[in-house]
Amino acid sequence: MTRAGRTMALSYPISRLISRGFLWSGVGLRAAALFLTIILSFLIFAPIQAALLQWAPRHGQALPRLFYRIVLALVKVRVTVGGRPSGEIAALVITNHVSWTDIPALGALFPASFVAKSEVGRWPIIRTFARLVNTIFVDRGDRKTIPTTNAAMLTHIAAGGHVVLFPEATTHADGPQPFHSAHFAIVEDLQKTGGTHAIQPIAIRYTAAHAPWIGDDALLPHVVTLMKNAPVTCELIFCEPLPLDQPQPRRAVAQVCFERIAAAYRDQASTSPRFLSSDSGDADRPRNAR
């Protein structure tokens, strides 16, 4: 091998090592900034948020929306909006579920309370943040708790807020899956209130294979994966809202929402790439449902 060849052969691993060093230094800085954001939010903003919820609930969404935007920036998730957002109408928001980042993506866009599984209410630190953003917990394994959850959802909507429901009850990477209809029972109650309400279906789609948080994935490694890979776009596609001016069976409403979300997802997939490049090398590999 010539001297030039030996130099080239030696320079490749060195340059690769340097590039990886820069990559991980960037991940370290983002991780440190995220950790600092969480600590400051827990120590400083959490008491302020608790006071706002107690004494000025109308202003209780400002700090969470700021927090969501910071988190999205640090994990390199950009949000785009398609369709026709209807932010002026108090609504039940129905959407497919892909990742934990769905929550900050939606929460940064409009004031929202989320329906989450009861296990979230037992996670350290996260449970505190969940309660401070008026998260509504549901025990997936006990159907007797559904009426209580539905009543809490109705209270939030009647007060002029948005409640976000993930009716798949789990995350999926391969597009919307059939919806469970149990929580759509509040549709009849909303119709009885006589207010100007609507159901807003939203399709969620990501542009990278590493974006979904699926199955038994641990949260921290997924956060690191987002930080070390190329930026991800979270596409929120607003579908045509469903008015509540006529009585409708809950299963029929659930099916209409599913069909509109699935159609919007397919239409978006036909006009933009499903996955961008990923360092994992398995961009097209299907993943199991969570």
Side-chain angles (χ1 to χ4, degrees):
M1 180 181 293
T2 65
R3 179 178 300 180
R6 289 194 298 270
T7 302
M8 287 288 292
L10 182 63
S11 65
Y12 177 75
I14 293 176
S15 63
R16 186 175 178 82
L17 182 63
I18 292 174
S19 64
R20 284 188 175 272
F22 280 117
L23 171 64
W24 282 106
S25 64
V27 172
L29 289 174
R30 287 179 178 275
L34 181 59
F35 178 77
L36 183 61
T37 298
I38 292 173
I39 293 299
L40 290 178
S41 298
F42 192 79
L43 296 178
I44 299 175
F45 296 122
I48 297 175
Q49 175 67 7
L52 286 174
L53 292 178
Q54 179 67 30
W55 303 108
R58 293 183 60 183
H59 303 286
Q61 291 290 344
L63 287 178
R65 293 179 73 180
L66 175 62
F67 176 79
Y68 289 144
R69 288 167 182 163
I70 293 174
V71 170
L72 290 172
L74 291 175
V75 298
K76 300 164 68 174
V77 174
R78 183 174 69 96
V79 178
T80 62
V81 177
R84 297 181 179 180
S86 183
E88 298 301 321
I89 301 176
L92 172 63
V93 177
I94 305 297
T95 180
N96 59 305
H97 201 8
V98 184
S99 174
W100 65 270
T101 51
D102 300 346
I103 293 174
L106 292 165
L109 189 62
F110 55 81
S113 299
F114 294 87
V115 179
K117 59 185 180 181
S118 57
E119 290 85 346
V120 175
R122 296 191 290 268
W123 294 349
I125 299 179
I126 292 179
R127 64 187 176 193
T128 300
F129 286 109
R131 291 190 173 94
L132 289 175
V133 294
N134 287 323
T135 300
I136 302 167
F137 296 107
V138 58
D139 187 347
R140 305 287 190 193
D142 187 359
R143 293 186 62 85
K144 295 179 181 178
T145 64
I146 290 175
T148 302
T149 302
N150 289 354
M153 294 166 62
L154 182 63
T155 299
H156 281 281
I157 295 173
H162 293 80
V163 171
V164 177
L165 174 66
F166 301 107
E168 293 166 311
T170 187
T171 51
H172 296 273
D174 301 319
Q177 304 298 311
F179 290 168
H180 299 279
S181 64
H183 294 296
F184 286 87
I186 73 164
V187 170
E188 295 180 3
D189 295 321
L190 285 173
Q191 291 168 339
K192 293 175 183 177
T193 63
T196 305
H197 302 297
I199 299 178
Q200 176 64 71
I202 300 176
I204 298 180
R205 182 179 174 276
Y206 289 84
T207 60
H210 61 273
W213 184 50
I214 306 297
D216 296 325
D217 292 352
L219 179 59
L220 185 57
H222 186 258
V223 172
V224 173
T225 297
L226 290 173
M227 289 180 175
K228 76 175 184 178
N229 279 286
V232 173
T233 298
C234 172
E235 300 170 336
L236 303 180
I237 307 106
F238 281 68
C239 309
E240 186 70 24
L242 278 70
L244 297 178
D245 52 355
Q246 296 181 357
Q248 302 176 68
R250 62 181 174 87
R251 287 187 175 86
V253 174
Q255 183 62 26
V256 171
C257 287
F258 169 73
E259 290 173 356
R260 293 189 182 185
I261 289 172
Y265 187 97
R266 288 194 303 268
D267 290 345
Q268 186 69 13
S270 67
T271 59
S272 62
R274 182 167 192 268
F275 290 133
L276 299 178
S277 61
S278 171
D279 287 352
S280 63
D282 58 355
D284 293 321
R285 178 173 58 88
R287 308 185 68 189
N288 296 326
R290 180 177 178 82

